[in-house]
Amino acid sequence: MSADAHAAGHAAGHHEEGWFQKYFWSTDHKMIGMQYMFTGMVMALIGGFTVYVFRMQLAFPGISVPGYGRVTASDYNALVTTHGSVMIFWVAMPVLIAALGNFLIPLMIGCDDMVFPRLNRLSYQLFLLSAIILLASFFVQGGAFGGAWTAYPPLSAKPQYNLTPHGASLWLLAVALEFVAFLLGGINFVTTVMNSRAPGMKMFDVPIVVWMIVIASIVFMASVGPLVAGAVMLLFDQNFGTGFFDPAKGGDPVLWQHLFWFFGHPEVYVVLLPAVGIVAEVITTFARKKLFGYKTVLYTAIGTGVLSFFVWAHHQFIAGIDPRMANIFSVTTLLISIPVAEMMFVYIATLYGGTIRMKVPMLWALAFIGEFLLGGVTGIFLGASGSDIYFHDTYFVLAHFHYTFFPIAFISVFSAVTYWFPKMFGRMMNETFGKIHFWGTVIPFNFIFIPLFILGVRGDHRRIYDYQHFPDLMKPGMQDLRVLATLSLVTLIAFQFVFLANFFYSLFWGPKASANPWQSNTLEWVAASPPPHGNFPEGLPTVYRGPYEYNHPDRPEEDYWPQNVAPTGGQ
Amino acid sequence: MAAHRPIATTRSATGIPTGRLAVWWVIASEIVIFGGVLGSYLMHRLGHPEWEHQSVHTNTWIGAFNTLVLLTSSLFAVLAHNAAELKNGKKAANFLMLTCLGALTFMVVKGFEWTHEIQSGFTMQSNMFWSFYYTAAGLHGLHVLAGAIIMLFIAADARKNQELQRVEAIGIYWHFVDIVWVFLFPLLYIAK
Amino acid sequence: MIQKYVEAASTYAGDIDSLILTILAIVGFWFVLAELAFFWLIFRFREREGQKGQYVAGEAYNETKWVSWPHYATLVFDVFIIYSAIHVWYQVKQTMPPADETVRVIAQQWAWTFVHPGPDGKLDTPDDIRVVDELHAERGKTYHFELTSRDVLHSFSVPAFRLKQDIIPGRVIKGWFKPTLAGQFDIQCTEICGIGHGLMPARIFIETPEQHSDWLKANSVAAAKAPSAPAPGGMP
């Protein structure tokens, strides 16, 4: 303990960092976390721009989209591919895992940095490089890859089919490099949480969000390997004339699908778990309630992670796999709804007996639960093989996964950002503008995707740039639904500028924040707002209790009991 | 100048050194990657019995020799670890150099082997068996190369009696590279 | 209910629709219940003057039962849904009732070629009728289909049948349908297949026996007179 304190004092007074060192070459976990966050925000704008363009084309076919121009069939496919790839790999993953994991983990477990700071810096740099490579693919001959984020061969393997030879390879390289960056990042998360916890912090005293990021990193690592192998094989098919996925050369296109989805399905839980972790932190703080069933949440998270490896072929029910296999995967897929549902029930139960402060972070956390429930139940229609025959590759699928992904990648992230903004930047965001942003996002969100559910049931299939060629899809009311979804999207995007304005204004001129403005228990609120280099210059904390001891009967004078506060005499 | 080492690096709530945890994590991720390649290969091989007409052309003697080379190099890595435990950095460094020599031998032999095969017309494109052969062995070779380069840096530090705990870590990685080859050898060379 | 918006034109369309409605009823009920409980709790426990939060660990049985009972209920209903789903799946994808006729479906970037057996009722005979982007079938007959692709992955989808099946180059994938309703309906490609993926609509014409025999007569004469339209790249 005293050795820790001595070293901490040493470290804090050590550096006089130049601008370059501080902002570009930093090994400080907080700075790296913010680098990931800001990069993710920029990529979110790009992902949002792509969807704005292609939805305008869908609502008003043939229009010259303001800010873009006319959308050709080839443009459409590239935009759709970019939207999906960017949102999953360059927004959801970096923000939920890398930004929050890097910023929060050392603070929440009471130490001064990650175990391998230089490796941490390297992972960000590889990640940034992967984003640059992806964006470069827009500027090469033939343009960006347009084979969807799933990149099924033979379309993705052969230039004569996809017409984007360079774009296809650059896309693949970008994705592969992003995987490497996250594999390296995972090294830090797992070893730091395992080894560098504060004295007194036992396994069940670790905040849920930290556990979730660790479990997500493990699931990611265990699932991405076969896809890395597949990516190498696809790259060789694209550029060196091999035939791994080419039936004419003895290969099998369905092999790619298995390799892709073996990763692709666990991946959705990789991003879900941190989102669910954020919600746990926020609802306990703002309901002033202990988390209902900490162990239940932990075990269901682990159970979900494990089960997620056994469901992948529900993406391939009608892909040409053996129909008997479809039954097995239908069973496993419906069973995985159980631990996830249980987690939602536990969160709802946590509200019981609370005293709920409806601040902006709490509004977002509650919205996550309400919206994600709809996403989850609509998954049942798709996991049931018999009904998937009809719904596969329709907008029903799309609406289902947006009711899960949007809460994951945006709703929980807004909760996290508004919650931890004071800690990150030492200032408070504006509550009123936060509420305007909240309602201006959540209401339009539903008006985008409920129409898309209806369109899916009515037969709209995916990745089609103009429905006018399909008489059965131009029945009365259908185009109106497309227009409604698009106008709601434009509204939603417009309200994001309220957030950006609030964010950047508050960053420079917001009222200064105290160390613990939300009166929360976890260790990051012990550090100053923002924490200095080394996090806890007065000495690293010691932990005496779990993270959610709100309204504990042994501490009547306060309705919270931070983890590092020594017990009172009788305890 | 090197960044100061955070306290986070020196703590060990589990009792296992962080360097070793990190290496096990790297190995776990590599197992899944190689598992993907080899799993795909196996699935294809079982469905294509005619590949035996191709696999008969791999040189089992060279494969066996390279297996011996890698196993011996692993032995040197173990000896390096022993020396490092006894705080004898110079000896550990020398053993690590011998391990690297094994790696170099492996790569050179493979270079000759592949050159001969390519000149005989067995290229990556000529048949799916060869596509997998070059991809799997090539990926493995890249890991041998990368491991050897990292080993050189660790040996340089060890010679100055610095960072001796890394000798064990690179040794663990090296054993993994070895084990992958122990799987590749029967799958690519012996199964005919 | 779906039939109000998309006609049901095959023997199994009604079964798939019933499955969807069953799932909707079960899942819809629990969804509404959960959301109501959720909103009620937010309202009841919103912060008010003098209200303190309670300390509920959620470990004791009389607390956990509020979560474990819904959780077991979910399991029971899941089992029921799985059983119903597999029943429908089996019927559509794992059975092949004896065929009255077989049609061949050839997908390519970016068009459909349908090979009908012609008056002799057999495929691969000189009187086969090849049509681009139109499939003609007779109401009440059981059809087998053989799906092939000339290039990339495609997918044969007929929403009115509630049918969908991906097409893989290098393979022949089989399935079946039996039309029950005369009329014209969309055929879609439901697997992204390049820039023309949205430009390969086709139509299925389900005809009464009289209409179908008229069509056969009209087209087999034409087929006998003119050589069949050459496929790019030759015969599949």
Side-chain angles (χ1 to χ4, degrees):
Chain A
M1 255 48 62
S2 59
D4 274 359
H6 169 82
H10 219 310
H14 202 135
H15 289 313
E16 188 50 65
E17 295 184 305
W19 194 86
F20 179 77
Q21 172 72 27
K22 186 170 178 204
Y23 288 106
F24 278 93
W25 205 248
S26 179
T27 57
D28 185 308
H29 70 100
K30 301 184 288 296
M31 186 56 63
I32 293 174
M34 286 195 234
Q35 288 171 335
Y36 275 108
M37 186 173 82
F38 283 107
T39 309
M41 279 169 72
V42 170
M43 296 305 273
L45 290 173
I46 293 174
F49 180 72
T50 53
V51 65
Y52 153 73
V53 173
F54 72 72
R55 274 233 65 93
M56 287 295 280
Q57 157 64 19
L58 285 171
F60 311 109
I63 191 182
S64 177
V65 176
Y68 184 87
R70 297 194 75 153
V71 182
T72 64
S74 156
D75 284 353
Y76 186 88
N77 285 0
L79 288 164
V80 157
T81 303
T82 303
H83 173 73
S85 311
V86 163
M87 289 304 200
I88 295 172
F89 294 130
W90 284 281
V91 178
M93 284 191 69
V95 174
L96 285 164
I97 298 175
L100 288 175
N102 266 304
F103 187 83
L104 293 176
I105 289 178
L107 284 167
M108 284 181 127
I109 64 172
C111 70
D112 57 342
D113 207 317
M114 290 287 190
V115 173
F116 303 112
R118 286 171 299 176
L119 188 64
N120 211 9
R121 177 180 61 200
L122 177 66
S123 20
Y124 173 71
Q125 290 166 342
L126 288 176
F127 170 76
L128 183 64
L129 183 61
S130 76
I132 292 171
I133 292 177
L134 181 81
L135 295 175
S137 72
F138 272 97
F139 299 104
V140 296
Q141 193 187 45
F145 177 56
W149 85 287
T150 45
Y152 284 3
L155 179 67
S156 59
K158 294 201 160 167
Q160 68 262 36
Y161 294 146
N162 59 46
L163 307 177
T164 58
H166 307 294
S169 291
L170 285 176
W171 177 89
L172 195 55
L173 268 167
V175 172
L177 200 58
E178 196 260 13
F179 288 164
V180 171
F182 274 88
L183 282 171
L184 289 180
I187 299 177
N188 261 311
F189 299 145
V190 175
T191 47
T192 305
V193 174
M194 284 179 77
N195 259 356
S196 307
R197 280 171 277 143
M201 182 176 269
K202 302 184 289 298
M203 297 282 251
F204 297 141
D205 298 328
V206 174
I208 285 285
V209 71
V210 173
W211 271 123
M212 293 297 185
I213 293 175
V214 167
I215 298 170
S217 297
I218 295 173
V219 171
F220 175 78
M221 179 273 285
S223 63
V224 85
L227 184 56
V228 172
V232 171
M233 293 193 264
L234 184 61
L235 205 64
F236 284 1
D237 272 16
Q238 285 174 345
N239 297 293
F240 301 130
T242 51
F244 290 107
F245 306 117
D246 184 351
K249 293 184 177 162
D252 182 6
V254 182
L255 173 63
W256 166 268
Q257 295 182 27
H258 287 297
L259 293 172
F260 183 87
W261 287 116
F262 182 81
F263 160 73
H265 195 82
E267 164 70 0
V268 319
Y269 298 102
V270 167
V271 292
L272 172 64
L273 293 182
V276 150
I278 293 165
V279 171
E281 301 305 322
V282 173
I283 65 173
T284 47
T285 299
F286 289 92
R288 315 308 286 163
K289 273 269 338 269
K290 184 167 174 142
L291 183 67
F292 187 99
Y294 176 106
K295 288 187 189 156
T296 307
V297 174
L298 190 56
Y299 297 148
T300 49
I302 294 171
T304 304
V306 170
L307 264 177
S308 71
F309 282 91
F310 296 97
V311 304
W312 81 89
H314 66 233
H315 299 271
Q316 299 163 266
F317 279 147
I318 54 119
I321 63 172
D322 188 327
R324 294 168 293 182
M325 253 180 36
N327 297 318
I328 299 172
F329 280 98
S330 196
V331 171
T332 53
T333 302
L334 291 187
L335 290 179
I336 203 175
S337 65
I338 294 172
V340 183
E342 196 167 2
M343 248 191 267
M344 292 298 114
F345 297 155
V346 164
Y347 285 170
I348 295 174
T350 302
L351 295 175
Y352 176 87
T355 181
I356 301 171
R357 301 174 174 176
M358 301 297 262
K359 298 281 184 196
V360 168
M362 185 56 159
L363 291 175
W364 287 111
L366 293 173
F368 177 90
I369 296 172
E371 303 284 13
F372 185 80
L373 266 174
L374 183 58
V377 300
T378 49
I380 305 281
F381 293 90
L382 304 172
S385 50
S387 44
D388 187 65
I389 301 174
Y390 182 60
F391 286 129
H392 174 77
D393 223 82
T394 64
Y395 266 73
F396 191 94
V397 176
L398 194 135
H400 155 72
F401 69 67
H402 280 89
Y403 262 98
T404 48
F405 262 123
F406 188 85
I408 288 170
F410 289 95
I411 294 181
S412 76
V413 166
F414 286 133
S415 184
V417 169
T418 52
Y419 181 55
W420 279 297
F421 186 95
K423 184 56 54 188
M424 289 181 189
F425 302 110
R427 294 180 185 270
M428 303 298 287
M429 286 182 84
N430 183 288
E431 268 291 301
T432 308
F433 284 107
K435 288 187 166 135
I436 293 172
H437 171 234
F438 172 76
W439 293 110
T441 302
V442 172
I443 295 174
F445 164 70
N446 289 295
F447 281 97
I448 299 172
F449 292 104
I450 303 273
L452 295 185
F453 268 125
I454 297 171
L455 285 168
V457 173
R458 295 183 71 170
D460 267 14
H461 48 316
R462 294 175 66 181
R463 300 157 175 170
I464 301 295
Y465 88 116
D466 188 347
Y467 288 101
Q468 293 181 118
H469 302 284
F470 295 89
D472 290 353
L473 301 181
M474 294 305 290
K475 289 182 180 159
M478 290 182 81
Q479 190 60 22
D480 292 335
L481 287 170
R482 293 177 197 125
V483 172
L484 174 60
T486 299
L487 294 179
S488 307
L489 170 70
V490 173
T491 311
L492 185 148
I493 291 178
F495 273 95
Q496 302 320 299
F497 290 100
V498 174
F499 170 76
L500 287 172
N502 191 0
F503 184 93
F504 284 104
Y505 179 88
S506 307
L507 193 59
F508 294 108
W509 301 293
K512 283 219 188 287
S514 61
N516 194 355
W518 309 121
Q519 297 176 311
S520 178
N521 284 337
T522 41
L523 290 179
E524 77 274 26
W525 303 105
V526 173
S529 296
H533 192 50
N535 296 339
F536 302 98
E538 343 68 50
L540 297 172
T542 302
V543 162
Y544 298 98
R545 65 190 61 80
Y548 306 115
E549 301 302 306
Y550 293 96
N551 281 296
H552 195 285
D554 291 349
R555 200 193 201 213
E557 66 271 25
E558 290 279 7
D559 72 344
Y560 68 115
W561 208 352
Q563 290 187 275
N564 69 322
V565 166
T568 47
Q571 182 55 356
Chain B
M1 66 142 262
H4 70 279
R5 176 164 294 174
I7 291 150
T9 313
T10 55
R11 281 182 175 172
S12 180
T14 59
I16 308 171
T18 48
R20 217 191 301 160
L21 278 176
V23 168
W24 283 114
W25 174 267
V26 170
I27 287 174
S29 55
E30 297 279 19
I31 286 175
V32 204
I33 295 175
F34 278 101
V37 177
L38 292 179
S40 303
Y41 167 69
L42 264 167
M43 297 282 304
H44 266 113
R45 183 82 195 249
L46 291 170
H48 287 271
E50 74 279 10
W51 284 7
E52 62 176 13
H53 298 300
Q54 302 294 326
S55 63
V56 72
H57 294 285
T58 58
N59 189 323
T60 316
W61 291 109
I62 294 186
F65 175 74
N66 262 349
T67 311
L68 191 62
V69 165
L70 273 187
L71 286 172
T72 311
S73 71
S74 264
L75 173 63
F76 287 130
V78 171
L79 293 170
H81 176 218
N82 281 349
E85 292 281 294
L86 297 169
K87 305 284 182 231
N88 188 338
K90 189 148 170 287
K91 199 162 163 207
N94 287 335
F95 277 124
L96 284 182
M97 296 305 287
L98 283 171
T99 311
C100 288
L101 189 62
L104 184 65
T105 311
F106 179 88
M107 299 297 285
V108 167
V109 167
K110 188 156 284 297
F112 280 111
E113 179 191 23
W114 280 14
T115 309
H116 176 78
E117 280 161 351
I118 291 169
Q119 283 172 342
S120 308
F122 302 117
T123 63
M124 196 162 64
Q125 294 83 0
S126 58
N127 182 280
M128 276 282 279
F129 167 78
W130 294 104
S131 305
F132 272 108
Y133 172 85
Y134 288 111
T135 304
L139 210 57
H140 174 260
L142 275 174
H143 283 81
V144 169
L145 189 62
I149 291 173
I150 295 173
M151 195 174 280
L152 287 173
F153 282 103
I154 293 178
D157 277 340
R159 197 171 291 285
K160 294 177 258 175
N161 264 317
Q162 282 172 2
E163 310 283 13
L164 287 176
Q165 78 284 357
R166 290 179 182 170
V167 177
E168 181 190 19
I170 193 68
I172 295 173
Y173 175 82
W174 198 255
H175 297 322
F176 163 72
V177 161
D178 211 356
I179 290 178
V180 170
W181 180 258
V182 166
F183 276 88
L184 279 180
F185 176 55
L187 285 173
L188 296 177
Y189 291 86
I190 300 184
K192 288 205 195 292
Chain C
M1 211 178 79
I2 299 176
Q3 290 159 25
K4 188 160 157 247
Y5 297 103
V6 186
E7 287 107 322
S10 76
T11 49
Y12 46 66
D15 297 321
I16 292 179
D17 283 358
S18 299
L19 172 65
I20 292 172
L21 273 155
T22 306
I23 297 175
L24 179 64
I26 295 171
V27 143
F29 171 75
W30 286 108
F31 170 71
V32 169
L33 201 65
E35 293 279 1
L36 282 175
F38 175 63
F39 282 112
W40 180 79
L41 285 170
I42 296 174
F43 175 76
R44 164 70 181 83
F45 292 104
R46 69 197 186 285
E47 183 179 40
R48 279 167 299 182
E49 195 61 50
Q51 174 176 281
K52 285 206 79 177
Q54 299 170 29
Y55 189 76
V56 179
E59 311 272 344
Y61 175 72
N62 76 330
E63 292 164 355
T64 55
K65 72 179 185 216
W66 288 98
V67 168
S68 52
W69 280 72
H71 155 236
Y72 293 129
T74 314
L75 178 60
V76 168
F77 283 101
D78 267 356
V79 170
F80 177 72
I81 292 173
I82 290 170
Y83 173 78
S84 311
I86 292 182
H87 185 76
V88 171
W89 172 267
Y90 186 85
Q91 196 204 355
V92 179
K93 293 288 179 180
Q94 286 182 248
T95 60
M96 285 286 269
D100 295 318
E101 270 177 39
T102 302
V103 293
R104 186 168 297 133
V105 179
I106 305 167
Q108 69 187 78
Q109 286 181 322
W110 291 288
W112 299 91
T113 305
F114 296 101
V115 187
H116 307 76
D120 71 349
K122 289 203 275 280
L123 271 180
D124 300 318
T125 56
D127 72 344
D128 285 357
I129 304 172
R130 301 172 77 97
V131 190
V132 174
D133 291 342
E134 276 184 23
L135 174 59
H136 290 261
E138 188 180 318
R139 183 188 62 198
K141 273 199 170 149
T142 302
Y143 287 87
H144 286 189
F145 53 80
E146 295 177 357
L147 304 175
T148 57
S149 164
R150 290 201 170 115
D151 36 46
V152 298
L153 296 176
H154 295 274
S155 185
F156 179 60
S157 163
V158 186
F161 289 170
R162 312 290 187 269
L163 170 66
K164 198 171 281 125
Q165 176 57 53
D166 280 5
I167 308 173
I168 303 172
R171 280 207 235 173
V172 179
I173 297 182
K174 300 189 182 168
W176 72 279
F177 60 78
K178 182 173 177 182
T180 54
L181 185 68
Q184 267 188 53
F185 305 102
D186 278 352
I187 294 174
Q188 308 166 331
C189 174
T190 48
E191 185 56 56
I192 188 168
C193 55
I195 65 177
H197 171 59
L199 292 166
M200 49 188 289
R203 293 288 269 177
I204 183 166
F205 293 79
I206 300 171
E207 293 151 346
T208 62
E210 302 76 43
Q211 290 169 329
H212 193 65
S213 92
D214 288 345
W215 175 81
L216 272 174
K217 285 202 199 81
N219 286 277
S220 53
V221 169
K225 277 214 181 120
S228 53
M235 292 284 285

